[in-house]
Amino acid sequence: MHVPDGFIDAPVSAATGVVAAAAVAVSLRGARRELDERTAPLAGLVAAFIFAVQMLNFPVAAGTSGHLLGGALAAILVGPYTGVLCIAVVLLMQGILFADGGLTALGVNITVMGVVTAVVAYALFRALVKILPRGRRAITVASFVAALLSVPAAALAFTFLYWIGGTTDVSIGKVATAMVGVHILIGIGEAVITALTVGAVVAVRPDLVYGARDLRQKLKLRVNGELVDVPEAEPVPVAARSHRKLWLTGLAASLVLAGFVSFYASANPDGLEKVAADKGIDAKAEEHASADSPLADYGVEGLEDARLSGGLAGVIGVGVTVVAGSAVFWSVRRRRSAEDVSPVSTSGV
């Protein structure tokens, strides 16, 4: 789904870039309400985990593979606004360092892979959680369905952009049929990965899953015959230790996936690459501006051993993404903390 340079013409790419920039700006403000001292570090980890899992292409049909988009996973784990920022960070790292996804098409990729998937998935997720029986199983089921449908939604979004700004003369009906068909299959893989990941985190720390916050029921006491809410207690040291354990476990899993498991990923072209080759969409594809990057194509320049080169590139990618993502989310969190300290609240100190 990473759109390269040359698929969409300059005017539509520029317009989509404006849309993506506006979405990121709105998300920066919205993320202030979603992030706290516990979830800010988790958001950086989510970005790194998505980067790692996106390296794991899985076969979906003859000669075609797919990989996680991640918008649904990020939105459910850390919130829709923060989820958009997670995908934006991943796409920026991939485009600059690994020549994956065009730089002039960065706005297209953020809009399609980040905004569309996060918005569609989270809206479906919240709707399903409200109608399904309350519990952890409902969170997992809702995650599966939301992730499944978010992928063909992204494929339709790309098809729409190609319809108004495609650089080749190809039947839009054929493009839409091919894109949606293959991405429904890819969506099944997306749904499995998302549901398993969300289910695993909910099982150990439901308080760290943004989409599962409704599972936390407030305690009530009967006072003079009426039920009143018990004030929430401050986080205890055990929770803090559990938080660090979860973060370290997630980082270790990301490093293993990117540094080792990625070597066994499918080498077949992904859904967009396959459709582009079959339908002629890639006739005017341009060479990536970062094609001479020492990490281009997820390998380290100068290393002849393919396993070592790809694994080291994956580890570097995870490290850079978690650092960049954590810096962004901590900055957003500190901005919120600064705004919470108003002159009124400090005048009496």
Side-chain angles (χ1 to χ4, degrees), residues 217-305:
Q217 296 180 342
K218 291 185 177 181
L219 296 176
K220 294 182 180 293
L221 291 177
R222 188 174 295 278
V223 179
N224 297 327
E226 296 183 359
L227 291 176
V228 297
D229 292 333
V230 176
E232 294 184 1
E234 293 294 325
V236 296
V238 173
R241 289 197 297 271
S242 177
H243 171 106
R244 288 192 294 268
K245 182 178 179 181
L246 176 65
W247 195 91
L248 292 173
T249 301
L251 180 60
S254 300
L255 291 171
V256 170
L257 291 173
F260 177 73
V261 181
S262 62
F263 181 77
Y264 302 98
S266 173
N268 292 329
D270 66 21
L272 177 59
E273 292 173 333
K274 179 65 172 175
V275 172
D278 290 346
K279 305 300 180 183
I281 295 176
D282 58 356
K284 295 185 179 181
E286 301 173 2
E287 184 179 11
H288 200 285
S290 299
D292 57 350
S293 167
L295 297 173
D297 296 325
Y298 298 93
V300 177
E301 185 179 9
L303 286 181
E304 301 297 334
D305 187 295

Side-chain angles (χ1 to χ4, degrees), residues 14 51 92:
F51 175 91
L92 187 62

Side-chain angles (χ1 to χ4, degrees), residues 18-340:
V18 173
V19 172
V24 169
V26 171
S27 297
L28 284 169
R29 293 187 61 85
R32 297 177 196 172
R33 299 190 298 270
E34 295 172 347
L35 295 171
D36 56 30
E37 65 279 358
R38 294 175 297 171
T39 56
L42 180 64
L45 176 62
V46 168
F49 181 77
I50 290 173
F51 175 91
V53 180
Q54 282 194 1
M55 295 181 66
L56 309 180
N57 281 48
F58 47 85
V60 295
T64 310
S65 69
H67 63 70
L68 181 81
L69 299 187
L73 177 61
I76 294 168
L77 286 179
V78 292
Y81 294 109
T82 308
V84 170
L85 297 179
C86 283
I87 303 302
V89 168
V90 172
L91 291 171
L92 187 62
M93 296 299 103
Q94 290 171 332
I96 293 176
L97 298 178
F98 298 92
D100 190 10
L103 295 183
T104 61
L106 183 60
V108 173
N109 285 319
I110 290 176
T111 301
V112 171
M113 296 179 64
V115 179
V116 171
T117 57
V119 171
V120 170
Y122 197 73
L124 289 171
F125 174 83
R126 294 303 304 169
L128 289 171
V129 167
K130 290 180 180 179
I131 62 177
L132 291 173
R134 185 185 181 90
R136 293 177 181 174
R137 181 174 297 178
I139 298 296
T140 303
V141 172
S143 299
F144 183 94
V145 176
L148 171 63
L149 296 179
S150 70
V151 178
L156 282 174
F158 166 78
T159 303
F160 173 74
L161 292 176
Y162 184 80
W163 176 52
I164 60 177
T167 55
T168 56
D169 186 15
V170 179
S171 169
I172 195 63
K174 293 181 179 179
V175 173
T177 301
M179 284 292 292
V180 173
V182 71
H183 283 89
I184 287 176
L185 299 177
I186 294 173
I188 296 174
E190 177 104 9
V192 171
I193 295 171
T194 301
L196 289 176
T197 304
V198 171
V201 180
V202 166
V204 294
R205 287 298 302 273
D207 59 306
L208 292 181
V209 179
Y210 186 85
R213 64 195 188 283
D214 292 343
L215 290 180
R216 293 175 286 169
Q217 296 180 342
K218 291 185 177 181
L219 296 176
K220 294 182 180 293
L221 291 177
R222 188 174 295 278
V223 179
N224 297 327
E226 296 183 359
L227 291 176
V228 297
D229 292 333
V230 176
E232 294 184 1
E234 293 294 325
V236 296
V238 173
R241 289 197 297 271
S242 177
H243 171 106
R244 288 192 294 268
K245 182 178 179 181
L246 176 65
W247 195 91
L248 292 173
T249 301
L251 180 60
S254 300
L255 291 171
V256 170
L257 291 173
F260 177 73
V261 181
S262 62
F263 181 77
Y264 302 98
S266 173
N268 292 329
D270 66 21
L272 177 59
E273 292 173 333
K274 179 65 172 175
V275 172
D278 290 346
K279 305 300 180 183
I281 295 176
D282 58 356
K284 295 185 179 181
E286 301 173 2
E287 184 179 11
H288 200 285
S290 299
D292 57 350
S293 167
L295 297 173
D297 296 325
Y298 298 93
V300 177
E301 185 179 9
L303 286 181
E304 301 297 334
D305 187 295
R307 184 191 298 270
L308 179 60
S309 177
L312 182 57
V315 169
I316 292 173
V318 168
V320 171
T321 303
V322 75
V323 170
S326 297
V328 169
F329 299 124
W330 272 116
S331 176
V332 173
R333 168 60 187 161
R334 292 198 336 198
R335 180 73 178 271
R336 170 187 170 179
S337 299
E339 292 179 349
D340 288 343

